[in-house]
Structure formats: C-alpha cells, structure tokens
Amino acid sequence: MTDQQFLKALQDAGLLDETAAAKLGREAALSGRSAEELVYRRRMVSDTKIAELKSGILKVPYQKVDLEHFENQLLELVPEETARTYSVVPLGKKGDLLVAGMLHPDDQKAQEALKFLARRNRLNLGVYLVSYRDWQEIMRRYSPYRSEVEKAVQAFSAKPGGVSGRVVRLEEGGEGEEAPVIRIVAGTFTEAVQSGASDIHVEPQENYLRIRFRIHGELKEEASLPVELSQPIVSRVKVISNLKIDETRIPQDGRFRTRIFDRDIDFRVSTFPTPLGEKVAIRVLDPTTGLRSFDELGLVGKSLEIVKSGLGKPFGMILVTGPTGSGKTTTLYALLKLLNKETENIVSLEDPVEYFVEGVNQSQVRPEIGYDFASGLRQILRQDPDIIMVGEIRDNETAGLAVQSALTGHIVLSTLHTNNAVGVIPRLIDMKVEPFLIPVSLNLMIAQRLVGLLCPGCKVAEVAPPALQKVIKKTLSELPPEVSGKHQEPFKVYHAPGCPRCKNRGIVGRFALYEVFQMTPALEEVINTGPTAQRILKIAKDQGMITLRQDGILKALAGLVSAEEVVRETEE
C-alpha cells in the first residue's frame, strides 16, 4: 500500500482531515519514512483502527494478539532479524500449520521470507494482519533481560583479571559489541524501555551493584550484579553520555539518544558520588509514552470542556500545577499537541527538552551560561511567537515576564508548584505579580496528581469498607445531582491482585486526576478586593469545579483507579 493510498484511506474513513494528510505526505517524502510510520509515532490514529482499515482494504483478516497467553517458544520459529526486517511475528502453531502475523501483508519480500521459513520447517502457512503495537509487544519478547545479564556476568567473571574493572577499555570503545559490560548496559536500556520504566537507577552497594527501574511511579529491583562490575558499568554509561570518565568526585549530567524497538529514545544521565562509588540515575524519555491525548491522560468530562474553551482564547496564561513527578510536563505537551498547527509559531523553553514535538521550536535552557527561563523568555518575544511554552515559572522575574507576554497577545503555557488549582493566584501574588494584572492575563489553572491505572485483566469489584463508604458519600454529596445520582450505596470499589498481563503489579500505567479552575468576572472581583484562599475556594465551588478528590472518586467508582490511593493522594 503506497503512502497516497494509505492517507486517502484514512481520509475516506474520517480518521484524518485533508490538511493533515497533505502535510504527512510531504513529511514522508522528505524524511524517507512511510506515512504509516509517522501516523503510528505521533499517535494520530489508534493502531487498532489502522489495522482494521488495512484489513478491509487488503482483504487479509485482522487478528488481535492474545499477549497474555502468548508462548515464548514460538519465537524460535521466526528469527529475530527476520521478524524485525520484514515486520512479521509468529502467532501460533497448530499441528503442521504456522500462524504468522504481518504488519504489511502486501509486502512481497516479507511474504517470501515467511514462505521460506515455513518450507524450512516443513510447515504450512496461515497469515493474519496484526497491529503495530501487537507486533512491537511480541518483538520485545525476543530479548529476555535476566538471562542475557547472567550470561554477560559469567563471561565477565570467566576472563582473566575480570575483577580489575579493565575487561572493557571503555575510553577506547571497549572490545567490540560482544564485550560483557557493553551487553549488560545495552540490555538494561532495552529492558527499561520494554518495561515502560521512567527511570533507571544504577546503585553501588557494599557487596553488590543494584539496578532498579521506576515503573508506574514505584522503584523495583531488576538485577543484582557482582560489585566488581560497578566501575566498568558506570564508566560505560559515562562514555556513551559523553561524560568525563576520570572525574568521580563531583556530579555530572549528560544525555544521549539511541534507537530501541524502532523508536528514538532519549536518556538523561546524572551521576552522583557516594562512598561506595558513583550512583547513576537515568531518565528514560520515550516519545510514545510522553506524547498523549487528553483521554489517555485522564482529562475528561466538564474539566476537558473548560480546558478546550480556554485553549480557544486568543491570549492568556494556562498554568499546570502539582508536585514533582505529577505529570505536569506531559499535560503541557498534550496542550501543545492540540495547539500545534501550521498557522501558529510555537516556541518553547524547557529544562531539559524531554520530548521532541514536530512543528514546535524547542529550546533547552542552560543556567550555567546565563541562559535561564527569564533571559530565554526575553529572547522568545523577538521570535514572533504566537504560543509560548515555559517549562516552569520558578522565580519572580520569570513570573512577571510570563504575565507581560500574556498581556501582549500571546498564549503562554507553563507549570507552577502549588498544591491545587486554587493556590495558583496566591502563589503568583507571592511572586510579586500585581493582583490587578492577574485577571486579564490568566485564563486557566489546572492541578493534577498521578495514580495507578488498574489492570483491566484482573481488577475485581468489592463493596467498599465502612470508612471508605463515608468518604465516598461525603465526596459525592458535594457534586451536582446529575453526577452523584449515578452512584448508589453501598458503593463498590475495585482492586487488582495482579496477573500475567500486568506482570502481577495490578496496574498497567498511570492516570491523572484533574481539577480545572477558570478565570471569571466573579473571581476577578475577589482578586481585586482581597484574594484569600477561602474566598477563591468559594468561587471555585460556585463554578462547580470538580476537585482532585471528586475526580478521583468518580474514576475509582468507574473501576479505573484505586479508591484508597485516591484518598491517600488527595486532600479533603
């Protein structure tokens, strides 16, 4: 299927408009990538919908892969190199029939490769079309992390002088791709991406080297290695991050990009000296996890309507607030995605640039050379911007410049550290912003928290215990009857004990709780006549604002998140 045929099919199905299709066609021609790959990468259309559409056009049946019951021994039937080169995977074996999945069933070379494998194994061949995500999930099964690490550790220990830390001369590029330390480091990065980890921690302990991944907000040990590997592994990470190997006394920061599972992944590296050696923290920046739609984030209902209304205004500030690690930056990117049009000049200041967004002019601040948010914001105004994104308002000067930018006809997106949306206005005043400027420059205040998204494969409903029943009843009583009336006592909540699908964690990702507060004439009057927290909160309630606790309880009753975690993460 050519790019033109693919894009036309998306238009005919109402999944893509003509302007977006034309833009994708141009970008595909210039970049050398297929239009289908660009659509997948930017998550413009659900991969399932694409698969169903292609199935109808190519007359090849679409098969949803049952990953929970997928047998890893099937991988022996199709070599990894073949699977990756031709985008094919084994789905099953029934007697003398090999059932294969193809991402591009119209690819003649892929068909020939599968026929050759079937003949070699004396099997008949049955073919289904599979979605891009299912193909990727099966591809990840080809690289089991723990067994690879064990082999590399054995190879390391078997070499003469292996304990000296000189097995791999990292400053000279090592002993080739098969060097044990290189394999361990490469395998660790691959496993982190496969597991959906946001961070990797390499931590020297007294008797061993601990490698932990942060997955869905929780740290979990993934590997324990001989203590002799500490220095070589840290050195390898420093080499690929372009850091000084011989400097172990002070912290260093670096960054590198590599391609894993056909995606460009960025890694931010930070070293930290400890008495037992250097600790390394690595942030994993996977574009497929960072660029999400509002539905995927958890912004729905009335809150979403208010946000879309605020984004439609020609100028003003939209501030996202919450503690560190609450997903503020991801929400900013979702806002940018909605605003990102060919007619708009969008310029961002970030520390650092976490995800690259096509069409947005992104810049990373460097405070060590005097290029901080304040100085960068002054320069941005000379770039003829329509929309400005500032990673964070940290000081009085940046706050003042952001307000001035909003007043002069720009949309300004940024983050702020406060506990809730109501706290934004007192915080701005505390940062020396004149109160009379706030109503005319501020459009929206968005607060958020992250909680675990329950696994749909193992979650079960239970009647909430008495204490939780009271909390739910009190929370619902403060909501409009058309919302609270949908839920009757006794209230049921959900728990997920764990299953193979979620790797026995009980959660399959994280979901945001939101509260959205907008500027109104009533709020403007409060700001101009003495904005206390109590008066601002009253206006918010009069607006019918859904609070973090209320949003969380509604999502808990819908079976999306744990009610206990909602109560723990939100205020009364």
Side-chain angles (χ1 to χ4, degrees), residues 13-70:
L15 299 173
L16 208 64
D17 61 43
E18 186 178 349
T19 304
K23 185 179 178 183
L24 279 170
R26 291 195 300 271
E27 289 185 29
L30 290 170
S31 66
R33 292 176 174 173
S34 70
E36 187 173 345
E37 182 183 356
L38 293 175
V39 171
Y40 280 132
R41 286 177 177 277
R42 296 177 191 174
R43 302 165 77 99
M44 300 174 75
V45 181
S46 158
D47 60 321
T48 302
K49 288 183 179 178
I50 291 175
E52 291 171 346
L53 182 68
K54 287 171 63 180
S55 173
I57 295 171
L58 300 174
K59 308 302 181 188
V60 177
Y62 162 58
Q63 175 71 53
K64 173 67 179 167
V65 181
D66 184 3
L67 295 166
E68 197 172 324
H69 298 100
F70 182 83

Side-chain angles (χ1 to χ4, degrees), residues 216 292 295-298 450-456 459 496 502 505-512 555 559-562 565:
H216 306 322
R292 300 185 179 186
D295 284 345
E296 292 173 301
L297 291 173
L450 287 181
V451 294
L453 181 63
L454 295 178
C455 173
K459 68 181 180 183
C502 60
R505 292 191 182 100
I507 57 174
V508 292
R510 290 198 285 176
F511 215 46
K555 286 170 179 172
L560 297 171
V561 300
S562 159
E565 188 179 7

Side-chain angles (χ1 to χ4, degrees), residues 482-501:
E482 61 269 21
V483 177
S484 60
K486 297 177 182 178
H487 305 282
Q488 304 297 324
E489 295 184 70
F491 304 111
K492 287 189 176 182
V493 295
Y494 291 76
H495 300 96
C499 66
R501 179 173 179 177

Side-chain angles (χ1 to χ4, degrees), residues 2-134:
T2 66
D3 283 347
Q4 289 77 14
Q5 290 171 329
F6 174 70
L7 293 171
K8 186 176 187 308
L10 289 181
Q11 286 185 76
D12 292 344
L15 299 173
L16 208 64
D17 61 43
E18 186 178 349
T19 304
K23 185 179 178 183
L24 279 170
R26 291 195 300 271
E27 289 185 29
L30 290 170
S31 66
R33 292 176 174 173
S34 70
E36 187 173 345
E37 182 183 356
L38 293 175
V39 171
Y40 280 132
R41 286 177 177 277
R42 296 177 191 174
R43 302 165 77 99
M44 300 174 75
V45 181
S46 158
D47 60 321
T48 302
K49 288 183 179 178
I50 291 175
E52 291 171 346
L53 182 68
K54 287 171 63 180
S55 173
I57 295 171
L58 300 174
K59 308 302 181 188
V60 177
Y62 162 58
Q63 175 71 53
K64 173 67 179 167
V65 181
D66 184 3
L67 295 166
E68 197 172 324
H69 298 100
F70 182 83
E71 298 176 355
N72 285 343
Q73 57 263 38
L74 290 169
L75 301 176
E76 297 172 4
L77 297 171
V78 180
E80 181 178 2
E81 186 177 351
T82 302
R84 196 170 298 282
T85 303
Y86 298 108
S87 302
V88 298
V89 286
L91 297 182
K93 183 175 177 291
K94 302 174 182 176
D96 63 348
L97 177 67
L98 168 63
V99 181
M102 300 183 72
L103 197 56
H104 307 294
D106 55 336
D107 184 335
Q108 194 67 35
K109 290 182 179 178
Q111 292 174 16
E112 291 301 323
L114 274 179
K115 287 175 184 176
F116 171 77
L117 287 174
R119 286 195 302 270
R120 188 179 70 181
N121 292 290
R122 298 180 181 179
L123 296 171
N124 294 316
L125 183 65
V127 171
Y128 286 98
L129 186 146
V130 294
S131 71
Y132 184 76
R133 180 164 298 189
D134 284 346

Side-chain angles (χ1 to χ4, degrees), residues 165-175 181-182 185 231-239 245:
R166 293 293 180 182
V167 174
V168 180
R169 292 175 296 172
L170 294 163
E171 65 277 7
E172 297 177 13
E175 296 179 0
V181 171
I182 292 178
V185 172
Q231 188 270 331
I233 285 178
V234 170
S235 294
R236 175 62 184 165
V237 173
K238 289 169 78 172
V239 164
I245 299 176

Side-chain angles (χ1 to χ4, degrees), residues 148 214 225 272 282 308 363 396 431 452-453 488 512 569:
E148 287 297 319
R214 187 179 295 279
L225 306 177
F272 186 76
I282 305 163
K308 286 185 174 179
S363 181
N396 299 356
M431 298 178 88
L453 181 63
Q488 304 297 324
E569 293 294 328

